[in-house]
Amino acid sequence: MLYNPPCAKTRLDPTSFVRLADEVPTLIGIKVPGGDDAWFGRMTDDLGTRLAIFVAGHALASGVARGAAGSYSNVACLNPTGAVRWYEQMLTDLPAALDVERRLQRFFADHITPLSRQGYCDPALDKALAAIGDWAPVGTRVRWPHRFVSADVVPALRDAARQAVPELLEHAPGQ
């Protein structure tokens, strides 16, 4: 697996991924932010199924619609059971799953991206998402030298998430 995140110093394009797939036969997949219809079209036209494409969790429905194999899922941090239900919805009712994605992305843009811009690292954001989802007693603390999102902001973020994507936060029996 090759991880080429948005913050990478070198962002690879579809042509580069084809070259890597040709030169590194053990490369089986990529973790990328994804792209628009044209990007996915180039990827699937040039690579076929040689590389599995994994996109950000909050872009999974549109990624699946375009040929992604799965995600590295910040949505599972929010609620693993809700993430599984949402994936199953993608397979049975893609328009509804795309609506969830639209609302989820709005929640991320309004509440999680600002935390990222304040310098919180991905593990701190993942722990904050788990605290927002309230599915396990993990807290928000991460190890030094990283800063953690204060637990004091979690209740307001939880309310915002429940407003945006209540179906992702519903707890399954026994959870």
Side-chain angles (χ1 to χ4, degrees), residues 56-106:
H58 60 283
L60 184 57
S62 58
V64 164
R66 293 172 170 143
S71 73
Y72 46 103
S73 189
N74 45 13
V75 180
C77 293
L78 186 61
N79 186 307
T81 302
V84 169
R85 280 194 311 264
W86 185 41
Y87 179 74
E88 290 168 349
Q89 182 183 45
M90 290 172 212
L91 303 177
T92 60
D93 188 357
L94 186 58
L98 288 166
D99 178 61
V100 172
E101 178 179 291
R102 179 189 54 74
R103 291 181 282 117
L104 179 63
Q105 287 187 356
R106 175 62 22 213

Side-chain angles (χ1 to χ4, degrees), residues 5-6 8-9 21 48 102 112 117 127 132 147 158 160-161 165:
K9 290 180 182 177
R102 179 189 54 74
I112 304 304
R117 288 191 182 125
K127 295 237 7 212
I132 292 165
R147 293 178 18 208
R158 185 177 297 133
V165 286

Side-chain angles (χ1 to χ4, degrees), residues 5 44 60 63 73 82 94-95 99 101 111 113 122 124-125 129 136 142 149 166:
T44 55
L60 184 57
S73 189
L94 186 58
D99 178 61
E101 178 179 291
H111 302 285
T113 300
D122 287 348
L125 297 176
L129 287 168
V142 292
V149 176

Side-chain angles (χ1 to χ4, degrees), residues 10 21 28 34 57 137 157 167 174:
T10 301
I28 60 169
L157 292 171
E167 60 270 78

